[in-house]
């Protein structure tokens, strides 16, 4: 696939138009080659802009690029959860994937708990692929790509980035490096915890009400930062009214990039811009105005109603 | 169905992975719950909320209980400090619920049923949202319905109560959870977004569509008329749900609620009603992320359904 083909696909996806199933297959093949080289703790250089959950909110992702700058002019790190819940998980994920293949050193995509076969069959991505392509092949190709996605990132050896949070069986970054990530997200264990855990106002570890991962307190964060010589954990995974939320004396930040989540939450979204000295600038943005949001095609009721 | 010589235990989780889903859908608990849901459905066919309805002493006590716990919202106002999203005061409300649940049950149930309270409080306290995540979803609705089902299994709700359970108790429950959702800003728990029916409720639509089954004036597509929705929301649960969505969601209806929009194109309420039950089974009852949290005791047992019932199926 030539660069001009890829550029053409990126232009199409930027207009929220689908690429063909064959093009998806080829894009995924190329993406696999890029992602397979990446580490479980992928090194990312500053300056870079960190983004949280997108959940198929394509037109709000376009707002994000307006506010943060287009890729590759701005370097990006996305913390996962590209798919499910929104209308445009397909276009969202494929655009980001195409950008990754085109500009591999300018954009980093790490895995969220929704980048999973089991979860996407419940929360919409599977249904969307079936509806938009008439078959599940695109879903299958994307799920294979999910398996190759990195579990975390480290920015200038100082900022640790992961979708969910910490694991009681991971004390060091090196331990993360030993995980075999090329698999469906497990129900438990280190890989699961990294994608599912949440910080909470407790001491130590707690049972997570999500049914996967754990809750972890400020003491756990402090210990992890100290043991690994880090300054900050940047993560996503939880809805934030004000787009981003710092906790535990600014040692951990949740970044959430899906504005007006579920069309009701009224939250703003945020991205975290880091300059080359790792100075932080949080940029806030709202949902794209109605006149720029494409209207999804209406469709007949599901088969249950026939 | 009544249960005598029954022993009661603290309900526990049993669904630990995807494979357990098969055990779940062939369990006694599943059969009892789905039968109960369908019985309640039949009991409200073509009935308006404003129609007279038999309310037993116990049903009235349940309604009063829901009113009481709703009044606690005024006594536990949202905290003014900045939060991630949901308001932490909800944790205090739930704590109060958990603390008072046993005594509430002892007050409303005759003494010979007090042994069952250990099972009932499990479902009751899980019926209004999760305190840690400060969220509410279809799993919580399921717990409240499971609670009603358990009281029914004890013989305390009977056929004559079914209509009131939907049009008096469940409607009161909806009022309560909507207030909780808005006052404490509960997150939509495990919402399927545009791929799901509704961020929070499901059975309200199922039972709501039964109310409208043979309605001469209101068709499924009537929900698209704001005027009709406002006019009939107090009599028809389904319309009440649409009204609530219009109040809390922003943008065109078919963008934020495409499934409900699609269903509005179905020709009649009979098809809507039967379709919603199929969807409920597929989208809620058979989904691991929701039912993994469900607990099983002796009233809703995880054991395989009894032989004779397998034949009935």
């Amino acid at each position: 696939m030539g660069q001009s083909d890829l550029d053409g696909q990126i232009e199409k996806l930027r207009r929220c138009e689908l690429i063909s199933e064959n093009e998806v297959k080829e894009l995924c093949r190329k993406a696999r080659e890029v992602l397979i080289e990446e580490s479980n703790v992928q090194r990312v250089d500053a300056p870079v802009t960190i983004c949280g959950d997108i959940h198929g909110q394509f037109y709000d992702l376009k707002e994000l690029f307006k506010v943060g700058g287009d890729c590759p002019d701005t370097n990006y790190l996305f913390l996962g959860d590209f798919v499910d819940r929104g209308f445009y998980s397909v276009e969202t994920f494929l655009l980001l994937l195409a950008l990754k293949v085109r500009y591999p050193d300018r954009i980093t995509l790490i895995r969220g708990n929704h980048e999973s076969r089991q979860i996407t069959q419940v929360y919409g991505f599977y249904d969307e692929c079936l509806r938009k392509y008439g078959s599940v092949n695109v879903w299958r190709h994307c799920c294979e790509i999910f398996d190759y996605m990195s579990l975390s990132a480290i920015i200038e050896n100082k900022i640790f980035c992961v979708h969910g949070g910490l694991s009681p069986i991971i004390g060091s970054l090196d331990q993360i490096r030993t995980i075999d990530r090329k698999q469906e997200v497990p129900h438990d264990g280190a890989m699961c915890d990294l994608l599912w855990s949440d910080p909470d106002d407790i001491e130590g570890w707690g049972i997570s009400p999500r049914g996967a991962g754990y809750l972890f307190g400020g003491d756990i964060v402090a210990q992890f930062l100290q043991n690994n010589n880090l300054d900050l954990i940047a993560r996503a995974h939880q809805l934030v009214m004000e787009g981003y939320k710092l906790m535990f004396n600014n040692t951990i930040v949740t970044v959430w990039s899906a504005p007006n989540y579920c069309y009701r939450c009224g939250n703003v979204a945020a991205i975290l811009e880091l300059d080359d000295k790792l100075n932080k600038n949080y940029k806030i943005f709202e949902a794209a105005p109605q006149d720029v949001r494409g209207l999804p095609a209406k469709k007949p009721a599901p088969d249950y109603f026939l | 169905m009544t249960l005598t010589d029954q022993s009661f235990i603290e309900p526990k989780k049993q669904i630990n992975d995807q494979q357990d889903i098969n055990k779940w859908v062939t369990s006694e608990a599943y059969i009892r719950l789905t039968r109960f849901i369908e019985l309640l459905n039949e009991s409200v066919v073509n009935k308006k909320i404003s129609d007279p309805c038999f309310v037993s002493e116990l049903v009235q006590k349940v309604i009063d209980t829901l009113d009481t716990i709703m009044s606690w919202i005024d006594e536990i106002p949202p905290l003014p400090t900045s939060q991630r999203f949901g308001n932490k005061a909800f944790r205090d409300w739930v704590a109060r619920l958990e603390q008072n649940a046993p005594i509430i049950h002892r007050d409303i149930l005759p003494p010979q049923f007090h042994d069952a309270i250990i099972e009932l409080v499990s479902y009751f306290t899980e019926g209004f949202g999760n305190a840690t995540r400060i969220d509410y979803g279809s799993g919580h609705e399921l717990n409240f319905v499971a609670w009603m089902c358990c009281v029914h299994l004890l013989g305390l709700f009977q056929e004559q109560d079914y209509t009131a359970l939907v049009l008096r108790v469940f409607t009161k429950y909806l009022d309560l959870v909507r207030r909780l959702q808005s006052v404490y800003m509960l997150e939509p728990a495990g919402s399927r977004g545009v791929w799901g029916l509704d961020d929070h409720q499901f059975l309200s639509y199922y039972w709501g569509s039964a109310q409208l089954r043979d309605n001469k004036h209101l068709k499924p597509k009537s929900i698209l008329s704001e005027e009709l929705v406002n006019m009939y929301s107090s009599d028809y649960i389904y319309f009440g749900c649409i009204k609530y969505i219009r109040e809390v969601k922003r943008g065109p209806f078919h963008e934020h609620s495409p499934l409900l929009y699609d269903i509005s194109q179905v020709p009649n309420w009979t098809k809507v009603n039967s379709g919603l039950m199929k969807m409920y089974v597929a989208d809620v009852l058979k989904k691991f992320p929701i039912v993994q949290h469900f607990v099983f005791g002796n009233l809703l047992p995880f054991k395989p359904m009894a032989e004779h019932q397998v034949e009935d199926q």
Side-chain angles (χ1 to χ4, degrees), chain B residues 267-278:
Chain B
N268 58 64
W269 290 110
T270 307
K271 288 205 158 114
V272 172
N273 188 248
S274 60
L276 282 174
M277 188 56 191
K278 290 182 193 151

Side-chain angles (χ1 to χ4, degrees), chain A residues 11-12 48 50 100 116 120-121 149 211 223 230 245:
Chain A
E11 278 322 294
K12 245 188 148 173
V48 66
I50 302 175
K100 176 66 182 173
S116 140
T120 52
Q121 282 182 79
M149 291 171 79
Q223 202 168 52
L230 301 164
K245 182 167 171 66

Side-chain angles (χ1 to χ4, degrees), chain A residues 85-87 122-123 127-128 201 209-210 238-241 262-264 290 293 298-299 304-305, chain B residues 84 88 133 190-192 194-195 199 248-250 252 255-256 261-262 271-272 275 279 282 292-293:
Chain A
R85 301 203 171 109
F87 259 124
V122 177
Y123 290 104
D127 293 348
E128 186 182 324
D201 289 314
R210 293 183 190 259
Q238 282 181 303
L239 171 60
V240 186
M241 188 63 179
C262 294
Y263 297 93
R264 77 187 301 145
Q290 203 56 49
R293 306 179 83 84
K298 296 174 187 176
K299 54 199 186 315
Y304 305 123
F305 298 91
Chain B
R84 176 179 61 80
K88 289 184 180 167
R133 301 210 54 211
S191 167
R192 298 181 70 223
V194 302
W195 304 95
D199 292 329
V248 301
K249 293 217 181 206
R250 227 191 292 161
E255 182 177 345
H256 60 64
Y261 179 88
D262 296 341
K271 288 205 158 114
V272 172
M279 217 175 126
Q292 64 173 321
H293 303 291

Side-chain angles (χ1 to χ4, degrees), chain B residues 94-131:
Chain B
V94 174
R96 200 175 194 186
L97 180 77
E98 287 170 348
Q99 215 169 17
N100 287 282
I103 195 171
I104 286 173
H105 282 78
R106 283 199 292 277
D107 280 346
I108 66 176
L109 299 179
Q112 62 267 40
F113 295 96
H114 285 190
D115 285 344
I117 290 178
I118 188 173
E119 300 210 12
L120 297 172
V121 295
S122 259
Y123 299 111
F124 191 74
T125 55
E126 286 300 315
F128 302 91
N130 182 281

